[in-house]
Amino acid sequence: MATELMRVDHLDKYYGDWQALHNINFSIHEGEVIALVGPSGSGKSTLIRTLNGLEPYQKGTITFEGKKVTPDKVSWQKLRQEIGMVFQSYDLFPNLTVMGNILLGPTKVQKRDEGEVKAEAQKLLERFELADQADAYPRQLSGGQKQRIAIIRALVMHPKLMLFDEVTASLDPEMVRGVLNIMQELAKKDHMTMIIVTHELTFAAKVADQVLFLEDGRLRETTSAKQFFTNPQTDRAKEFLASMDY
Ligand SMILES: Nc1ncnc2c1ncn2[C@@H]1O[C@H](COP(=O)(O)OP(=O)(O)OP(=O)(O)O)[C@@H](O)[C@H]1O
Ligand SMILES: [Mg+2]
């Protein structure tokens, strides 16, 4: 049995008086891939941002590698080095080259040796067919290329957990495949532990071990991907899959 990497117990989150997440419970083990799915506004981004300390929560606990997370700024800053996150918007620094963007975290935050990080970055760029882009600026790249760089920028920090929030949602259709392929490779070859928010259900069915189905801020189903996509237990999940033409 793989080691439990993160667990969430009885987590509630409010925006002001309004409760966005209700009693969220789940855990993810090393090497596992979770697909977090659900209708728009169900709280997927809120949950994934909470798991990275970008959103405060009011009740419940998050445990990482067996240690309860102290929900303060300093603890999260430290922990965030272990948890990579890629968003829908690429958030690359426009004034830095691709290599400059990739080197920033490892050299400035982790204080690692620049030469060593550069060699590792170069390997990742080659692996994801971006070797020629090291000296380019973000404005010179396509959306798909920028998103692949954003993934590399997270990977080079050696995260134990990767969080992805709709990373293909703003891409042109022909760019989507290349980005999904990287995530699939990270799952199947690297056995990276990942939580993926996605509307690409065919992809989710292929890479995910576990599905969390969120609706109205509540986890309506927490089940194996196989079960969820072939025989969902709740009417809400059935309706959701039908609405997605799955
Ligand atoms: N900063 C905020 N302040 C107040 N309410 C918010 C905030 N961010 C999100 N919400 C609300 O919380 C709910 C969940 O939003 P969230 O963005 O997490 O949904 P989502 O599942 O990611 O949706 P989508 O699929 O459209 O990205 C929504 O009702 C949203 O309006
Ligand atoms: Mg969202």
Side-chain angles (χ1 to χ4, degrees):
M1 188 68 186
T3 315
E4 187 175 78
L5 186 61
M6 182 186 256
R7 72 177 288 122
V8 173
D9 290 292
H10 307 298
L11 188 135
D12 288 343
K13 189 213 161 34
Y14 291 80
Y15 288 116
D17 291 340
W18 184 75
Q19 190 166 3
L21 296 174
H22 299 254
N23 191 27
I24 302 295
N25 298 285
F26 72 92
S27 68
I28 183 164
H29 292 77
E30 277 175 7
E32 191 179 20
V33 177
I34 288 184
L36 175 56
V37 303
S40 181
S42 57
K44 303 182 298 294
S45 296
T46 300
L47 176 54
I48 212 160
R49 288 170 57 81
T50 303
L51 302 181
N52 203 13
L54 298 176
E55 288 287 349
Y57 48 97
Q58 284 68 39
K59 222 182 125 194
T61 55
I62 298 178
T63 307
F64 192 80
E65 292 191 305
K67 282 194 218 87
K68 188 176 150 189
V69 178
T70 320
D72 61 50
K73 208 170 141 196
V74 176
S75 309
W76 273 115
Q77 264 168 4
K78 220 167 134 200
L79 191 54
R80 218 172 282 138
Q81 290 185 47
E82 318 262 16
I83 305 176
M85 176 143 182
V86 186
F87 302 88
Q88 182 173 337
S89 57
Y90 333 106
D91 301 314
L92 298 176
F93 292 105
N95 56 320
L96 294 179
T97 62
V98 163
M99 189 56 91
N101 268 281
I102 296 174
L103 293 181
L104 202 60
T107 57
K108 294 284 185 285
V109 181
Q110 295 179 324
K111 315 271 183 227
R112 276 157 58 196
D113 175 67
E114 179 166 326
E116 174 202 302
V117 180
K118 219 169 176 169
E120 188 185 335
Q122 197 60 43
K123 269 198 202 137
L124 283 166
L125 287 166
E126 278 162 29
R127 177 172 175 196
F128 297 130
E129 288 161 31
L130 292 160
D132 300 343
Q133 311 299 336
D135 299 322
Y137 285 86
R139 65 171 180 279
Q140 299 169 305
L141 304 173
S142 72
Q145 286 172 325
K146 277 188 271 203
Q147 201 55 299
R148 284 182 284 151
I149 304 290
I151 294 173
I152 291 176
R153 188 179 54 171
L155 288 176
V156 83
M157 301 281 283
H158 302 158
K160 291 181 176 146
L161 172 66
M162 282 284 285
L163 308 174
F164 296 90
D165 190 359
E166 305 240 32
V167 294
T168 58
S170 57
L171 299 181
D172 293 332
E174 68 270 24
M175 305 289 176
V176 170
R177 178 54 38 203
V179 174
L180 294 183
N181 282 347
I182 291 191
M183 288 195 276
Q184 186 167 347
E185 207 179 301
L186 291 177
K188 303 287 181 202
K189 277 208 189 125
D190 300 33
H191 305 289
M192 176 67 78
T193 315
M194 312 201 278
I195 302 179
I196 305 175
V197 175
T198 184
H199 285 126
E200 302 276 345
L201 297 186
T202 309
F203 165 75
K206 224 186 299 176
V207 302
D209 302 297
Q210 195 185 169
V211 171
L212 305 184
F213 173 61
L214 199 59
E215 195 201 44
D216 296 336
R218 293 169 173 89
L219 278 183
R220 303 285 190 192
E221 285 197 37
T222 303
T223 181
S224 73
K226 193 163 174 230
Q227 161 102 348
F228 184 80
F229 288 109
T230 55
N231 186 19
Q233 296 302 292
T234 61
D235 288 342
R236 291 167 189 276
K238 284 178 198 157
E239 282 160 26
F240 170 72
L241 289 172
S243 76
M244 300 290 286
D245 285 326
Y246 188 84

